[in-house]
Structure formats: C-alpha cells, structure tokens
C-alpha cells in the first residue's frame, strides 16, 4: 500500500477541521473562513482543495462513513458468528454512538431535504453500512452458524431498529435510561437473527 499524497493528507486535515468547527458551532455556521481560522491558515488554502462548501460537506460525509465503517473492521481469526456478535455489540453501544458527534451527524442529515446531491451521498453512506452488515450475515450463513431467508432484508431491519433507537436516545440525557433502552433494542436485533442474547 502506497503512502498518502500531500493532497490526501491536507484534505483530511481540512475535513477534520470542518468536523471540529461544525461540532462547536453547527454545520450551518461552519464557513470556509471559520474552518481556515480553526487551522490557522488562509481561506484560499481551503479553496485550493475544495472549490465549494458543498464539496467540503461531501468529504465530511465520506469522513463520517469511514468512521462508522471502522466499527465493522474486526481484526480476528475467530468464527464469522463471533465476529458478527462483536459487530452487534459495537453498534448497539456507546462505542458506535461516540464515533461521530450527534449534532454533526444530524446537521448533515438535514441537508438531504435541500440538496439532492447531498441526499444521494447520505443514501450511499447508509447503504454502505447496511451492505457491511449484510456481508457479516452472509459469512455466518456460509459458515452454517445462521439461517436467514434474506440477509439483506435482515440487515435493513436491524438498521431500522438501530436508527430509531439512536434518534430517540438523542433526546434522553439520563445515562441509565439510555443504556436500558439500547439494551432492549439490541435484544430485538438478536431475536430477529435467532441468536441467543448475551451481555457485552
């Protein structure tokens, strides 16, 4: 694998600065000038790598996707079912919830109603997450540790549960309640898979 180019490194630095600025001030207030101020550089440097704020937001959504996909990367020689168990424990946990700030995530989400290109990008993000889970389910089917009629539909159902849980939990400040609600949703996901639920 080759080393990242200076362009790739600089673009990632800019995207991380946008993320930090959006987390502090909201995405709608995160101008190119504010991103440049966060990096202590001239705004022209940002515009050299990203021609518009929309281009920068596209890169931010890719950054969010890559953060989420990391949770599926299980470095292990364990069985497919054990790897799936770890993925489920991860996505139904605070580990998943702390990958990306809720306010940045939902700020990006609101843009899908105004910009069809951002809507398409966000759809790709969600589809990629579902595809990753589908691949884990298919590996378990091939291994003989799961029996599912349609792993793709099953992955979609699990994500419907997960997204509903996180949307609701954004409004629940109490840690114990958040844990209890997430635990209930996690049990439903295990039931859909016909798997025995185990505490993480």
């Amino acid at each position: 694998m080759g080393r990242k180019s200076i362009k790739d490194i600089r673009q990632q630095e800019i995207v991380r600065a946008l993320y930090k600025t959006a987390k502090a001030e909201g995405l709608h207030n995160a101008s190119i000038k504010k991103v440049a101020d966060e990096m202590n550089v001239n705004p022209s440097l940002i515009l050299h790598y990203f021609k518009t704020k929309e281009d920068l937001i596209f890169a931010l959504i890719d950054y969010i996707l890559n953060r989420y996909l990391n949770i599926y990367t299980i470095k292990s020689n364990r069985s497919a079912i054990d790897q799936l168990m770890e993925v489920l424990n991860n996505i139904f946990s605070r580990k998943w919830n702390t990958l990306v700030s809720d306010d940045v995530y939902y700020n990006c989400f609101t843009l899908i109603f105004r910009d069809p290109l951002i809507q398409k990008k966000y759809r790709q993000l969600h589809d990629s997450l579902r595809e990753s889970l589908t691949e884990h389910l298919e590996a378990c089917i091939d291994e003989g540790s799961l029996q599912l009629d349609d792993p793709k539909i099953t992955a979609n159902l699990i994500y419907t549960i997960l997204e509903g849980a996180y949307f609701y939990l954004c409004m629940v400040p109490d840690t114990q309640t958040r844990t209890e609600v997430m635990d209930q949703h996690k049990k439903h996901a295990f039931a859909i898979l016909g798997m025995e639920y185990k505490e993480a």
Side-chain angles (χ1 to χ4, degrees):
M1 180 184 291
R3 293 189 305 175
K4 285 187 175 181
S5 68
I6 296 296
K7 178 182 178 182
D8 289 339
I9 292 169
R10 182 57 88 179
Q11 285 179 328
Q12 285 301 303
E13 290 172 351
I14 294 168
V15 169
R16 285 193 295 270
L18 171 61
Y19 177 82
K20 189 173 180 181
T21 304
K23 186 176 179 182
E25 302 190 34
L27 186 62
H28 300 293
N29 295 320
S31 65
I32 286 176
K33 182 183 183 311
K34 288 181 179 178
V35 174
D37 289 346
E38 171 65 33
M39 297 180 69
N40 200 25
V41 298
N42 192 291
S44 62
L45 177 69
I46 310 293
L47 292 169
H48 175 74
Y49 292 102
F50 298 98
K51 301 303 180 190
T52 65
K53 183 178 176 182
E54 184 180 70
D55 291 338
L56 190 48
I57 290 171
F58 285 168
L60 176 62
I61 293 171
D62 283 335
Y63 173 77
I64 290 170
L65 171 60
N66 288 329
R67 298 269 301 169
Y68 280 142
L69 287 177
N70 283 336
I71 214 162
Y72 290 95
T73 305
I74 310 297
K75 295 179 181 178
S76 172
N77 293 322
R78 291 177 299 159
S79 65
I81 194 68
D82 285 342
Q83 291 186 46
L84 173 63
M85 189 86 74
E86 184 173 344
V87 167
L88 292 173
N89 285 331
N90 284 343
I91 64 176
F92 285 95
S93 72
R94 285 294 298 162
K95 182 177 180 181
W96 167 271
N97 199 222
T98 57
L99 287 172
V100 177
S101 169
D102 285 337
D103 55 348
V104 176
Y105 177 88
Y106 285 110
N107 266 238
C108 287
F109 182 80
T110 63
L111 297 176
I112 72 170
F113 300 105
R114 288 192 256 169
D115 189 318
L117 293 177
I118 291 177
Q119 184 182 78
K120 181 179 179 181
K121 196 77 171 170
Y122 225 79
R123 170 93 184 255
Q124 289 171 344
L125 185 159
H126 283 265
D127 287 346
S128 295
L129 294 173
R130 284 163 168 75
E131 287 166 13
S132 293
L133 182 55
T134 300
E135 288 171 7
H136 277 283
L137 297 178
E138 288 171 342
C140 289
I141 292 169
D142 291 343
E143 180 183 72
S145 52
L146 269 187
Q147 292 184 344
L148 298 170
D149 292 332
D150 192 325
K152 186 174 182 179
I153 289 176
T154 303
N156 283 334
L157 286 172
I158 290 171
Y159 262 97
T160 299
I161 293 170
L162 183 67
E163 288 163 355
Y166 278 114
F167 179 78
Y168 175 74
L169 291 175
C170 287
M171 299 173 279
V172 178
D174 176 52
T175 303
Q176 183 177 343
T177 303
R178 289 170 66 95
T179 302
E180 290 171 358
V181 170
M182 186 54 77
D183 197 52
Q184 292 167 8
H185 285 80
K186 183 177 170 184
K187 286 179 180 177
H188 285 302
F190 273 69
I192 287 170
L193 293 170
M195 293 171 61
E196 181 184 353
Y197 176 74
K198 296 177 182 178
E199 294 289 344

